[in-house]
Amino acid sequence: MKQEVQVHSLFSDFDISLFKSGKHYRLYERFGAHLIEKDGVKGVYFAVWAPSAKHVSVVGDFNFWLEGDHPLNVRWDGSGIWEGFIPGIEKGTRYKYKIQSNNNDMKLEKADPYALFCEHPPSTASIVWDLDFKWKDKKFLEKRKENNALDKPFSIYEVHLASWRKNMDENRSLTYEEMADELVSYVKELGFTHIELMPIMEYPYDPSWGYQITGYFAPTSRFGNPQEFMALMDAFHNAGIGVILDWVPSHFPEDKHGLGNFDGSNLYEHPDPKKGYHQDWKSLIFNYGRNEVRSFLISNAIFWLDKYHVDGLRVDAVASMLYLDYSREEGDWEPNEFGGRENLDAISFLKDLNTEVYGSFEGVQTIAEESTSFPMVSKPTYIGGLGFGMKWMMGWMHDTLEYFRKDSIYRQYHQNDITFSMTYTFTENFTLPLSHDEVVYGKKSLLGRMPGDEWQRFANLRLLYSYMFTHPGTKLLFMGAEIGQYEEWNFDTSLDWHLLEHDSHKGIKETLIALNHLYKNQPALYEKQFSAEGFEWISYEDSQNSVLSFMRKGENPKDDLIVICNFTPNVLENYTIGINTTGKLKEIFNSDDKKFGGSGIGNKTIAIKKEGFHGRKQSANIKLPPLGTVVFQIL
C-alpha cells in the first residue's frame, strides 16, 4: 500500500548551487539516509541524485521491499535530487532505492551511494546508521600539524585488514575491536609512525583487495560497524600512530547495486567508453568533467578526514587518471582539446581535491600513487602543481629491486641502477614504497627475490631495508616484510606468523624496529628528506667493491650522519672514505649486528685521520661488514 512520504529537505538553494557547480564538498551532510525528527516524529530523511529517473522509491525491511510504497519527491529546481521524510524508520533498517528510469522505463535497485553502513557482502543492502561517537584523540589531533609535517619522520606500515592476522580457532579475520588491541600494539612495537589501510570502503569482491568500491562512505562491515572502526582509529591515535587510507577515485565496478548506470544513464561514469571504461580492470571511470561527480568525490575524501579523523589519503592509480591513453592502444583514445594525451578534467579535479583537503584540515597529507614522470605531482597548486603532499617513488622501487635480485658478483656492473635515483630524488616529495603490488602475481616475496645462500638472503633483506631507511624520502613497507615472508602475499590467508619462531626471521623484525628507531631519532634522516641540502655523496663510483657512501644532513651540522652500504658478501677490513671534518666516528647502526642475525662485524669508535681522500681533507678507515649497512655519527 502506497504511504505518504512527507516533503522535507536538508538542501538550501545555496547547497543546490554549489552541487551543480561542482563546489559542494560536504554532500554527506545532505545526501543519504539521515535519522532526524520532524514535527516531533522520528524517522529518516532520504535524498538521492537520479536526474534520469521517472520514479524513485525507498524499499526495505519496513515495507517488505515493495516498490512504490514509499516514493520520493523530485525537487523542482532541476537538480535531479529525489528526497523525502519517512516516519518510523530506525537505525539498523536495511534499504535500497528502486529507480524507474526515463530510458526505456528500465527498473534498477541500487544501494545508497552515501550509505554510512552496508550489509556484509555478498548481501548488498544499505543500512540506516549514524556516526555518533565519543572521540578521545584531541591531544593527537592538536599535535598532528607538527608530527605529520614533511620535515618529520614518516614511516608507513601498509596493511590489508582481512589477511593481516586470522583468528585461527574460528578461521576468520579479526574484528575492528580485536585490531584495536592486536594491530595497534603491534604497529607501536615495530615503531612505524603511520599505518596505511588498503581500501576499507565497502567492496563486494574479496579478490579486488578493496579497490573495487561500491560503498564509498561506509567502512566495510566485514570487521564490524562504523563506531567500531572509529574506535580503531581512536586507538591508533592514542598510541601516537597516524592513519592513512587508500582512496580510489580512479574507477569503480559494474556491480548492479553500485554506481554504474545508476539511474539508467551514465551518471557517475563518463559516457564515452574511451574515457569511461577501464579495459584492464573491467571497471568504470568517473566522469571528472561533470560537476556533480566532482562534488561527490571530493565530498567523499573530506568525509573520511572529517568524520573518521583520518590523517592522510593515499590516492590510488593516479597515472590512470592523468592520461587519456593510459593502457590503451592507438585508436582507443582521443586527444584533449589541445591535441595532448593529458586528461584535463582529471588534472583539474585533482588540483581541486588537494586545494580543499589542505585548506580544510591542518596536518593531513595526500600521497599520490603515480608511476610516470608527470611533473610537479607533489608541488603546490598555486605554482602549477597537482598539490599532493607526497608521491610514490616507483622508479626507485623498480631499480632497487632489480639490483637486489642480481647475484652480488654481478652488481659491480650495475652500480648505476642503485645510484640513479639520486639524480631525480629531489624533484618531488618522494615516498619509497615496497608495497603489496611487489609481492603478488609471481613477483615473489621480498625475501624470495634475494640471491645467495640462506644467510646471504637474510643479509640482503636487512641491507635492502637499511638502504631504504637511509635514502632520502619517507618510507612504506607492506605487512609481512618485517618477518621475512617466504611466500607471496595471499589475500585469503594470514601472514606466516610462525616464522617468528626462527632467529633469522626475528632478526628481520628486530632490524626494522631498529631502523624505525634510527629514523625517528636522527634529525639528519628526516629534517631535509625532500631537499638536496640533506644529502651529499661521499662516493658513488666504487663499482668494483659495490659500495656506496654518503652523508645525510639535518638543520644542525652536529646531527650529520655517514652511511656506507656494502652490497657484496666480502668483508672490507680497511675501507677508506673521505671526510671534511675532524674528530671521531661512532657506529650507531649496523645491519650485520648479531642481534639481527648478522655476523657481528662492526666498528668501535674510529679516529678521523688528517689524510685527504675522495677530494676531502680528512679520512677514516672503516671495517665494512658483508652485505651490510653501517651508520656513523661524527663526534
Side-chain angles (χ1 to χ4, degrees), residues 196-216:
E196 179 180 319
L197 303 181
M198 290 169 67
I200 53 84
M201 302 81 183
E202 195 59 83
Y203 57 100
Y205 187 50
D206 287 348
S208 78
W209 312 334
Y211 290 97
Q212 299 267 356
I213 296 171
T214 51
Y216 270 80

Side-chain angles (χ1 to χ4, degrees), residues 12 18 38 203 217 330 343 395 422 425 458 492 501 549 570 576 578 633:
S12 67
L18 288 176
K38 183 177 185 291
Y203 57 100
F217 291 82
E330 187 175 350
N343 188 330
M422 291 309 306
T425 194
F458 281 91
D492 211 22
E501 298 171 7
S549 54
N570 302 321
T576 306
Q633 281 181 330

Side-chain angles (χ1 to χ4, degrees), residues 539-603:
S539 173
Y540 57 84
E541 298 171 335
D542 188 6
S543 58
Q544 183 176 357
N545 289 306
S546 297
V547 171
L548 296 180
S549 54
F550 53 87
M551 296 184 68
R552 293 297 309 277
K553 300 179 177 182
E555 298 291 345
N556 189 334
K558 292 182 179 180
D559 294 329
D560 291 356
L561 300 177
I562 291 174
V563 181
I564 311 174
C565 301
N566 177 12
F567 295 101
T568 75
N570 302 321
V571 178
L572 302 178
E573 291 286 349
N574 285 291
Y575 191 83
T576 306
I577 63 168
I579 302 174
N580 266 338
T581 187
T582 58
K584 298 178 180 180
L585 298 183
K586 177 184 177 183
E587 186 179 277
I588 61 171
F589 175 83
N590 186 333
S591 68
D592 191 50
D593 197 304
K594 285 186 176 181
K595 67 184 177 183
F596 303 146
S599 59
I601 295 174
N603 301 267

Side-chain angles (χ1 to χ4, degrees), residues 401 404-405 411 434 438-439 443-465 477-489 496 499 502 504-508:
L401 291 181
F404 269 86
R405 290 180 69 155
R411 289 176 178 173
L434 294 176
E438 309 319 316
V439 291
K443 297 176 184 176
K444 298 183 179 180
S445 68
L446 294 181
L447 181 64
R449 280 176 159 89
M450 299 297 115
D453 59 26
E454 190 77 350
W455 188 90
Q456 289 185 16
R457 292 173 72 194
F458 281 91
N460 266 308
L461 193 59
R462 296 192 302 270
L463 174 60
L464 168 62
Y465 296 158
L477 275 171
F478 183 54
M479 65 182 198
E482 79 282 5
I483 62 176
Q485 290 264 129
Y486 282 113
E487 303 297 329
E488 283 189 344
W489 169 54
D496 294 329
L499 293 176
H502 306 285
S504 54
H505 294 273
K506 283 195 293 187
I508 296 296

Side-chain angles (χ1 to χ4, degrees), residues 583-585 604-609 619-621:
K584 298 178 180 180
L585 298 183
K604 296 181 180 179
T605 302
I606 298 171
I608 297 174
K609 302 182 298 181
S619 61
N621 291 337

